[in-house]
Amino acid sequence: MKRTDKEKKELVTRLSRIEGQVRGIQKMIEEDRYCIDVLTQLSAAKAALDKIILQVLKDHSRGCVVEAIKQERGDEAIDELIAVLDKFVR
């Protein structure tokens, strides 16, 4: 799927924020911060990643999968999507 410049910028901005969160978590661990505080920050970073994952899955479904169906390659695209989704439920 071809993303617009705006869409790319939004994803990169979110990823940059997550990168900062992860650096902060690393520092918390280095400073022996309270485990619950570290876990809270890990949960926030995971939630942010989950939002990006969902957006990319939506984009793929609405773009690549729809296009594959139009080109009569729908079964292949759906199998590929299911295979990648399987990685997230393990």
Side-chain angles (χ1 to χ4, degrees):
M1 171 183 176
K2 196 83 163 140
R3 289 182 178 83
T4 66
D5 288 341
K6 181 183 177 197
E7 291 168 332
K8 287 181 204 177
K9 184 178 179 183
E10 288 173 0
L11 288 173
V12 169
T13 298
R14 285 183 179 195
L15 287 167
S16 294
R17 248 185 254 131
I18 294 167
E19 182 180 22
Q21 284 179 296
V22 171
R23 279 199 209 109
I25 294 166
Q26 180 180 352
K27 185 175 178 183
M28 291 174 78
I29 291 171
E30 290 168 349
E31 294 173 352
D32 291 322
R33 298 277 296 273
Y34 186 53
C35 295
I36 296 300
D37 294 340
V38 173
L39 288 167
T40 299
Q41 291 305 310
L42 284 167
S43 176
K46 183 183 177 301
L49 273 174
D50 287 345
K51 283 187 175 187
I52 292 174
I53 290 167
L54 185 58
Q55 184 61 53
V56 174
L57 284 169
K58 284 179 185 178
D59 293 345
H60 180 69
S61 298
R62 292 181 177 150
C64 302
V65 174
V66 168
E67 189 59 35
I69 290 168
K70 288 177 184 176
Q71 296 175 4
E72 298 184 12
R73 294 182 297 107
D75 288 340
E76 177 186 332
I78 290 169
D79 289 344
E80 180 183 52
L81 181 58
I82 290 170
V84 78
L85 286 171
D86 186 53
K87 294 177 183 182
F88 292 103
V89 296
R90 290 182 184 218

